[in-house]
Amino acid sequence: MMSKLAAVTALAGGMLMGAYGLANAQSAGADAITPSIAASLDAAKGTPESLAAAVSALVRANPGAAATIAAAAAKANPNAAAQVASAAAAAAPDFASTIAASVVTAVPASAESVTGSVVTAVPTAAAQIAVSVTTASQKSAAATGTASTTSPAAIAAAATKASPNSALYIAASVSRANPQAASQIASSVAVQAAASGSTATPGLIAAVSARSSGANNVDVIRAVSSAINIFPANVATQAAGATMGRLVEQIVNQSTQTVQTAQNDAEAASSANEQAATSAEIAESNQQTGGDVGDTGGVEATPEEPQPESEAVNNNASPT
């Protein structure tokens, strides 16, 4: 029979692996893309399926530009945002959270669906994806002076549904990034965890949310209790004891790095969207002129040296 500590470790095992994986991944993938890539995406934008296929191929060939390619594709067909994000993340899983943040920056209303699709593609990165999406969503809303269209609790629930075994880390990390919504986040994660077959208990979910966010533990427990319809005392008991306390502390400590990485992802997402917009503008100009202006693959073209006037005259003169 497993010891209590071993059982608790097994409970959070998959989640902890995901935490380390994304915390150590570089927030990148926002390199510039050529106008020809932007033009390829525009040509494939007719259906979500064709656009996702194009994104997958382009990201595999250009992994350093994964987030920029995904952002450009989402801009080309906003209705395909979730499929595009999933395809890009599957092709470049190390950049999954940056890709998700970039697509949500391009299409803010897609936050919940993008979270679910990208976590499904890369479940070990669930917590990082959820926090990066909430951070990018809020940053985008602040930049445009509008309110975010999707709550952190809804994003956390979408991530939990796609990766139930990451419930504890999702709750802790999203609550740390959004402390004012800790009770709602814990409640949403607890409800979705129960519905998705997660082994994370409501009590542990409440404990990590309260601890990581600094929220009142009693308030979070009451909110979770009400959401799942069990007595508050039962919720509190689930997180009691030294063994549970060590697990909570471990998860809370790791959430700090997750939130920091999310800030980097949000910055990379902004850069990716700027690069995507520039490339799309050049590609459109090329289509209108029929030329390849600006499509130099990131290398500045060398202008032709002008011919001396006498040579130009001689070349254009009619033979005698």
Side-chain angles (χ1 to χ4, degrees), residues 17 59 144 164 179 248 319:
M17 288 176 62
V59 168
T144 58
V248 169

Side-chain angles (χ1 to χ4, degrees), residues 183-184 186-188 190-191 201-203 205-207 217-238:
S183 291
Q184 296 96 316
S187 298
S188 294
V191 169
T201 65
I205 291 170
N217 190 56
V218 174
D219 291 342
V220 177
I221 287 174
R222 285 176 177 167
V224 171
S225 169
S226 176
I228 61 177
N229 197 29
I230 65 174
F231 289 115
N234 292 345
V235 175
T237 300
Q238 292 171 349

Side-chain angles (χ1 to χ4, degrees), residues 17 26 54 60 74 77 95 142 187 197 240 244 247 266 269 276 296 299 320:
M17 288 176 62
Q26 182 183 9
R60 291 182 192 282
N77 185 348
F95 304 138
S187 298
M244 295 301 184
L247 176 61
T296 59
V299 179
T320 55

Side-chain angles (χ1 to χ4, degrees), residues 111-222:
E112 193 172 343
S113 61
V114 165
T115 299
S117 67
V118 176
V119 172
T120 298
V122 191
T124 54
Q128 187 64 67
I129 292 164
V131 181
S132 294
V133 167
T134 61
T135 303
S137 180
Q138 291 162 359
K139 182 179 176 65
S140 178
T144 58
T146 59
S148 179
T149 56
T150 307
S151 71
I155 291 170
T160 303
K161 182 178 181 180
S163 182
N165 288 336
S166 301
L168 294 176
Y169 201 78
I170 291 168
S173 300
V174 180
S175 292
R176 180 178 286 277
N178 303 272
Q180 76 287 350
S183 291
Q184 296 96 316
I185 291 164
S187 298
S188 294
V189 170
V191 169
Q192 191 59 64
S196 303
S198 173
T199 52
T201 65
L204 277 174
I205 291 170
V208 297
S209 289
R211 186 70 174 274
S212 64
S213 66
N216 184 287
N217 190 56
V218 174
D219 291 342
V220 177
I221 287 174
R222 285 176 177 167

